[in-house]
Structure formats: C-alpha cells, structure tokens
C-alpha cells in the first residue's frame, strides 16, 4: 500500500512539473491563430453543409447565382482542407511547445510563414470558387478543370504545410540533440508521425498539381493522364484522412486518460501503434479507386490488404482505450463487470465528446471494411453511402474529438478557464451533434444502398417510381442537417466564449503519465529514420509498379472540361 501511495506521489510530482511549464505567450499566439481560422472554417463549412442538406431534401431552392456544386466544393474544402489541418496544427504546435520546452524562435517564424502561405493559398482557391470558375469539388479530378488560380492556391497551401512540417522537425531534432538517449515526449511523438505523413501525403498532390494540372490548364500541354492524376490524388487524399484520424488517436491515448484521472496505456505499445500507422498508411489509396479501370487486380488486392492492415493498430487502440477506462473506473471504486463505467466523468464534455467519437468509429470502421471489399464496393461506390461513411469517420470520430480538445486547448492558449456554463453548452452540443449526425449518416448509408448517387443536385428523376422511395431518407438527411447546424452554432459560441469572454485563469495541459511501475520502453522506437525508410519502401511497393504501368501504357490524354 505504501509503495503504491509513493508511486502516486511521484506521478503527482511529475504532473505539477508539467503544469509549471505551461505555454509561453509567443507560442500560444501561433495556436490561437490556427484555432481561430479552424473554427471559422467549421462555421462556414457547416453553413454550406446545412444548405446542401436542405437542398437535397428538396426543401431549399438555391438562387441562380449560387449552385449546388459550388457549395459542395466549398463545403469539402473548408472542412477537409482548412478546418482539419488548422486545428491539427494548432493542437500539435501547442503540444510541441508544451512538451519540448517551448518552440525555437526560428520555428516560431516558420510557423507564421506557414500560416501566411496557407492563408494566401486559400484566398487564391476561394476566388475562383466564388466566381463559379472552380466547381470541381475538393477532389478536383481531371478532366474537369478549374481556373488555374485554384491550383496555384493549392500549391501555396502545400508549401505552407511543408513549412510547418519543417518547423516541427527542427524543433524535435533540437530536443533530441539536447536530450540524448531519451524518448521523445509522447505527444511530440504523435506529432512527429503526423507531420511525416503530411509531407508524404502532400508530396503526391504537389506532383499532380505542379507537373500535370497546372501546365494543362495553362494550355502548355494538350492532354492529361487521368489515371495518373487520380492515383496521385488518392495517395494524398487517403493519407490526409488518416492524418486527422491519427491526430484524434493522439488525444485518446495521451489526453483522455488524464481527464478521467487515470494513467495512459503502455508507452511501448502506444509508440508501436504510431509507427505502424505511419508506415502502412499511404499504401491504401486504391481502395478509393476499386472500380477504376487500368489498375491490375493484384495491385488493387495489395492496396486492399494494406488498408485492412491498418485495422490492426486500430483494434489495438480500441483495446487500449477500454483497458484505460476500466482500470481508472475500478480504481475509483467501480465494482462488477460494468460498474466502472459509472465512475467515468460523463458530465465532463472533455471526456464525453471524444468518448462518443471513439464509439462512432466502430460502425465507421466497419463501413470502411465494407467499402474496401471489391464486390461490396460495386454497390456502395459513389452513392450516398460513402457520404454517410465519411460523416461518421470525419464528421464524428475526428471532429468530435477536436470538439473535446477545444474545451481545454482554447482556454489554455487564451489564458482562460472552462466554466461550468460552457461545459453545459458543450454537453448539449455533443448530444445534439451526435443525434443529428446519427440521423444524417444512417439515412445516407441506407439511401445509398438503394442507389441514390452522391454529388448530385436535387432532382425527382421525373418522378420515376424507383427513386420516389428515396425521398423519406433525403428528408431525414435534411432533419439531421438542421440539428447539426444548431449544434455547430453552439460549438462556435462555446469556442468564441472561451477565446474572448470566459474568466481569465490558468488551464492545465492535460497529459497523462504512464503507470508508475511500467517497464521502460526500448529505445528503438525513436529511430524515425528507419521508420521513414520503411514507409518509403512500402509506398514504392504500392505505387511504383502501377504508376509505371499507367504511364507506359497511357491512353491519349484528355483535354480540360468545364462540366458545370
Ligand atoms: C453541419 C454539419 C454537416 C452537414 C449538415 C453536412 C452535410 C453534407 C451534405 C448534405 C453533403 C453532400 C452530399 C452529396 O450531395 O453528395 C456533404 C458532403 C461532404 N461533407 Fe459534410 N456535412 C457536415 C459536416 C461535415 C464535416 C464536419 C466534415 C468533415 C470534417 C464534412 C465533410 C464532407 C465532405 C468531404 C463531403 C463531400 C464533398 C464532395 O463530395 O465533394 N462534412 N456534407
Ligand atoms: Cu482511404
């Protein structure tokens, strides 16, 4: 008993050392800027979402100067490109600052340059979208072609990402030099993985945009190889999705155990999960192209295998989370098979929102396995099913984790506190978002199975009998969308309150400690050079043979088309 108490004391000591470090004001400014832009993008993206939902439900007719495809493009870009990346960066840069003893002055400068590049790029993207010159959706598949300015904007966004990744690597390398033989603090370890993947992902899209699309839209070349461009896009797009997921996972492993008053899962296994997700992530891109022609079956099979392989670290995560919840609940006196559940802080939005996010990943992940299966993909492909799937994965699992993070990170960087009133707003918001997203995602999955296509402006198909049956589901999508919009407004209200109006005070950076008696993690986990080389080998295995095949056996290139 005495030994246990002593161990608890040493944990408490380390915690208070953590607290004392805080976040220096100059570093906090960086996170402030990123979080502000991230949540504004959420607001605007949410508005687009509800307009679309109501339009597809047949309730809202759009004015002639604003069409459905324009809004769909803006919705995808705002949420997938802007909101997710800005919140991820704001969160990890705060994490680097806190756990690595502050950002280096030059890294701070890089973070601001990256911010400028991203914002400038985004402005270039938005102008043609507003002018209806770029309704190509966030996937911008050739041969659809937008105004060249749209693609120049994308280039600047990628340059911004690279600047931030370089900053992250410089800071991490500096810490390692000064702390030889030590393990990178766990949140910085996750952050390193995320920035490695961000560079890996954006490299593909940079090649696509700079070497293929820009010369083609400027008229320097006549045709574009559609297959190659789609392949490069999905090597990026698929990885991007997993980057947001890894960001959410970092909060589950590192932050949530602290919020529920427990310790985190085994450090060694946590690092193995990160490494596995980094090495195996990029190689699943063809599960988005299962019905594309021109890719051999064996290559598709390899990608599907690799996609399912990352299910393994995800299952490890599911186990780890429940292990931590049960251990903590039992230490707080929870008895019996499920009594520990009652001891978890359900009334604390910092726990409730990410808990629901995790639970949502169970059906979301199952749906992903369905889509990765060749025969089932034929049924679901490009239907509303897919939209239901990524609103569960991104719209619930990732975004609700971000919401949970916002309730401590926003007050932390703005030197304020989470009040009981904002916590209550957060709980109501979480419940509304959960119900809205459940209704919307369920209806989308169902109507997708009946064949309703995604990315299609409202139509009654001439009242064709088979499609009339879709109407009740489309109406339900509208109902879910309205609930989501209300929940979104509440979230933004809470974020702005915590930014500018909540009482001043000190908020702790919640980083959980390991169990005091845990065996030390072997040092090899820190060999990032090896992990990156392994990642490159796996990526080469998955992408070099099909790309060579597509280039050598290329059909005539396609001219640009404006389909809207
Ligand atoms: C207020 C909440 C939201 C509502 C009401 C909403 C609604 C919708 C609707 C109705 C569509 C169009 C489906 C179609 O016609 O094909 C859509 C597409 C999409 N949504 Fe959302 N959504 C919301 C939040 C989110 C979030 C939080 C994310 C991601 C973080 C997201 C990502 C996407 C993406 C990537 C598309 C596909 C765009 C495309 O096909 O190009 N949405 N959403
Ligand atoms: Cu994917």
């Amino acid at each position: 008993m005495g030994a246990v108490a002593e161990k608890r004391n040493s944990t408490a000591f380390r915690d208070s050392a953590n607290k004392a470090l805080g976040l220096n004001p100059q570093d906090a400014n960086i996170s402030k800027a990123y979080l502000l832009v991230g949540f504004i993008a959420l607001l605007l993206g949410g508005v687009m979402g509800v307009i679309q939902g109501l339009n597809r439900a047949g309730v809202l007719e759009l004015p002639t100067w604003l069409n459905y495809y324009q809004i769909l493009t803006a919705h995808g870009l705002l949420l997938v490109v802007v909101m997710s990346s800005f919140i991820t960066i704001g969160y990890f840069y705060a994490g680097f600052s806190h756990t690595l003893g502050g950002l280096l002055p030059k890294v701070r400068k890089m973070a601001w340059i990256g911010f400028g590049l991203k914002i400038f790029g985004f402005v270039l993207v938005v102008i043609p979208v507003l002018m209806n010159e770029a309704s190509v959706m966030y996937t911008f598949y050739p041969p659809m072609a937008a105004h060249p300015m749209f693609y120049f904007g994308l280039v600047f966004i990628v340059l911004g990402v690279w600047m931030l990744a370089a900053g992250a690597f410089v800071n991490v390398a500096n810490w390692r030099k000064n702390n030889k033989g030590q393990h990178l603090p766990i949140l910085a370890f996750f952050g390193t993985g995320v920035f490695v993947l961000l560079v890996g992902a954006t490299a593909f899209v940079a090649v696509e945009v700079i070497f293929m699309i820009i010369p083609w839209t400027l008229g320097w070349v006549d045709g574009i190889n559609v297959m190659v461009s789609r392949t490069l896009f999905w090597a990026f797009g698929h990885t991007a999705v997993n980057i947001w997921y890894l960001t959410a996972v970092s909060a589950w492993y590192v932050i949530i155990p602290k919020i529920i008053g427990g310790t985190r899962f085994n450090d060694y296994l946590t690092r193995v999960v990160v490494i596995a997700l980094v090495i195996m992530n990029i190689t699943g891109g063809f599960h988005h192209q299962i019905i594309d022609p021109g890719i051999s079956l064996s290559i598709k099979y390899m990608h599907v295998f690799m996609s399912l392989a990352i299910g393994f670290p995800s299952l490890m995560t599911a186990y780890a989370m429940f292990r931590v919840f049960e251990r903590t609940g039992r230490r707080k006196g929870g008895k019996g098979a499920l009594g520990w559940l009652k001891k978890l802080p359900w009334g604390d939005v910092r726990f409730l929102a990410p808990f629901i996010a995790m639970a949502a990943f169970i059906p979301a992940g199952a749906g992903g396995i369905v889509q990765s299966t060749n025969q089932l993909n034929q049924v679901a492909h490009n239907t509303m099913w897919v939209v239901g799937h990524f609103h569960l994965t991104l719209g619930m699992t990732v975004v609700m984790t971000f919401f949970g993070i916002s309730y401590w990170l926003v007050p932390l960087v703005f030197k304020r506190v989470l009040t009981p009133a904002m916590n209550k707003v957060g709980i109501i918001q979480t419940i509304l978002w959960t119900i809205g997203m459940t209704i919307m995602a369920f209806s989308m999955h169902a109507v997708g199975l009946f064949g309703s296509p995604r990315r299609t402006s409202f139509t009654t198909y001439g009242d064709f009998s088979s499609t009339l049956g879709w109407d009740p589901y489309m109406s339900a999508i509208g109902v879910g969308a309205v609930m989501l919009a209300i929940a979104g407004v509440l979230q933004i209200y809470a974020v702005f309150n915590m930014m500018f109006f909540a009482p001043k005070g000190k908020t702790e950076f919640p980083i959980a400690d390991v169990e005091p008696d845990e065996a030390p993690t072997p040092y090899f986990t820190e060999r990032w050079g090896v992990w990156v080389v392994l990642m490159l080998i796996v990526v080469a295995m998955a992408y070099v043979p099909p790309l060579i095949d597509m280039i050598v056996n290329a059909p005539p290139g396609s001219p640009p088309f404006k389909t809207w």
Side-chain angles (χ1 to χ4, degrees):
M1 205 50 212
V4 172
E6 204 172 289
K7 277 170 197 158
R8 293 270 154 73
N9 276 343
S10 79
T11 312
F13 171 75
R14 260 175 289 167
D15 289 348
S16 57
N18 249 350
K19 224 179 282 180
L21 272 174
L23 207 58
N24 89 50
Q26 282 170 300
D27 297 356
N29 283 342
I30 293 171
S31 291
K32 279 182 192 173
Y34 279 93
L35 293 173
L36 194 60
V37 175
F39 280 101
I40 291 174
L42 176 80
L43 177 66
L44 298 176
V47 171
M48 303 294 148
V50 71
I51 294 177
Q52 257 158 218
L54 292 176
N55 176 251
R56 293 223 51 176
V59 182
L60 181 77
E61 203 169 320
L62 294 172
T64 44
W65 48 267
L66 186 68
N67 77 59
Y68 163 85
Y69 297 100
Q70 225 175 334
I71 293 180
L72 190 58
T73 303
H75 178 74
L77 286 170
L78 280 164
L79 291 163
V80 181
V81 178
V82 184
M83 184 276 288
S84 316
S85 74
F86 275 80
I87 294 184
T88 296
I89 293 164
Y91 162 71
F92 275 121
Y93 262 71
F96 286 132
S97 169
H98 178 72
T99 61
L100 302 179
L103 300 176
L104 298 172
K106 72 175 157 211
V107 171
R108 231 177 269 142
K109 209 171 283 166
M110 291 163 90
W112 282 116
I113 296 172
F115 184 80
L117 286 167
K118 278 170 79 74
I119 295 285
F120 179 65
F122 185 63
V123 170
L124 291 189
V125 166
V126 161
I127 294 170
V129 171
L130 288 177
M131 289 163 39
N132 198 22
E133 288 293 330
S135 297
V136 289
M137 290 162 275
Y138 78 102
T139 43
F140 53 90
Y141 294 141
M144 267 201 291
H147 190 284
M149 194 196 286
F150 177 84
Y151 304 105
F152 281 106
L154 294 177
V155 172
F156 280 99
I157 292 176
V158 169
L159 290 176
V161 170
W162 289 352
M163 188 57 84
L164 285 148
F169 299 149
V170 167
N171 225 70
V172 165
N174 176 271
W175 186 93
R176 285 167 52 125
K177 203 174 76 206
N178 297 330
N179 296 272
K180 283 226 155 56
Q182 286 193 47
H183 288 79
L184 203 55
I186 190 70
L187 192 56
F189 193 88
F190 272 99
T192 306
V194 160
F195 280 103
V196 166
L197 282 178
L198 268 170
V199 175
T202 47
F204 288 96
V205 82
V207 170
E208 180 197 0
V209 170
I210 296 172
F211 296 108
M212 297 180 70
I213 297 185
I214 288 182
W216 173 68
T217 50
L218 289 177
W220 298 348
V221 293
D222 294 335
I224 196 163
N225 187 325
V226 169
M227 280 309 301
V228 171
S229 66
R230 286 173 66 86
T231 299
L232 294 175
F233 178 82
W234 278 115
F236 154 77
H238 164 69
T239 310
V241 172
N242 285 281
I243 290 168
W244 321 138
Y245 170 65
L246 183 57
T247 305
V249 167
S250 78
W252 303 352
Y253 274 101
V254 182
I255 310 290
I256 312 283
K258 178 77 183 177
I259 283 168
I260 64 174
T263 49
R264 61 186 173 87
F265 187 66
N266 183 288
D267 182 74
Y268 182 16
L269 290 176
T270 305
R271 285 173 205 257
V272 168
V273 166
V274 178
I275 294 164
L277 285 174
V278 169
I279 294 175
M280 298 194 292
N281 236 323
I282 302 183
T283 49
F286 284 156
H287 65 214
H288 298 266
Q289 292 170 264
I290 288 184
I291 64 162
D292 275 21
I295 305 169
S296 74
L297 263 183
S298 52
I299 293 282
K300 282 182 183 168
Y301 189 82
M302 183 209 295
H303 277 243
V304 166
F305 180 83
M306 293 306 295
S307 312
L308 297 178
I310 55 174
F312 178 69
S314 293
L315 289 176
M316 278 175 76
T317 300
Y319 170 79
M321 291 307 111
F322 278 91
R323 170 82 185 103
V324 167
F325 294 156
E326 186 192 349
R327 184 169 70 197
T328 309
R330 285 199 191 284
R331 281 189 187 151
K332 292 186 168 177
K335 298 255 180 310
L338 291 173
W340 49 271
L341 268 173
K342 282 197 231 128
K343 299 286 173 187
L344 297 175
W346 298 107
D348 184 339
V349 64
R350 299 169 309 160
F351 168 70
L352 182 69
F355 180 88
I356 295 175
M358 285 176 207
F361 203 63
I362 300 170
I369 293 173
V370 167
Q371 282 158 217
S372 299
T373 309
N374 182 43
Q375 290 82 341
L376 299 178
N377 188 274
Q378 315 294 314
V379 177
H381 197 87
N382 265 344
T383 67
M384 288 300 282
W385 163 288
V386 176
V387 188
H389 166 72
F390 60 65
H391 282 90
L392 280 185
T393 49
L394 280 178
M396 268 184 107
T397 302
V398 172
V399 168
M400 290 186 83
T401 303
F402 286 178
F403 290 171
I405 289 173
S406 74
Y407 288 95
W408 56 266
L409 183 58
V410 171
L412 170 86
V413 296
F414 282 83
K415 289 214 165 20
R416 292 177 191 272
V417 292
L418 170 63
T419 55
M422 277 316 116
N423 184 58
K424 195 171 280 168
V425 171
I427 297 279
I428 296 170
Q429 185 272 334
T430 301
I431 293 168
L432 262 180
W433 188 275
T434 304
I435 300 173
M437 206 50 111
T438 306
I439 294 174
M440 188 171 93
F442 174 81
S443 315
M444 285 172 163
H445 276 94
V447 78
L449 288 183
F450 298 141
S452 173
R454 70 185 280 209
R455 293 180 158 178
T456 305
S457 188
F458 177 73
T459 164
T460 58
Y461 301 91
D463 289 328
F464 179 51
S465 55
S466 298
T467 62
L468 287 177
W470 299 346
D471 288 353
Y473 294 93
M474 300 314 269
S475 305
I477 290 172
V479 171
V482 170
M483 294 184 76
L484 283 165
I486 299 170
V489 168
L490 283 180
Q491 171 67 24
I492 303 296
Y493 166 71
V495 165
F496 277 79
N497 182 286
M498 291 184 292
M499 284 180 173
F500 305 115
F501 305 107
K504 294 261 177 200
K506 229 174 152 220
T507 295
E508 176 198 1
F509 205 121
I511 293 190
D513 242 307
V514 292
E515 285 281 278
D517 52 358
E518 189 172 291
T521 306
Y523 188 69
F524 80 87
T525 54
E526 307 307 296
R527 312 204 54 159
W528 276 99
V530 176
W531 310 140
V532 170
V533 169
L534 281 176
M535 177 185 100
L536 292 175
I537 291 173
V538 178
V539 169
M541 169 187 90
Y543 278 106
V544 173
L547 278 172
I548 289 178
D549 183 38
M550 285 172 199
I551 292 167
V552 172
N553 298 314
S558 173
F561 286 94
K562 189 175 170 192
T563 51
W564 65 95

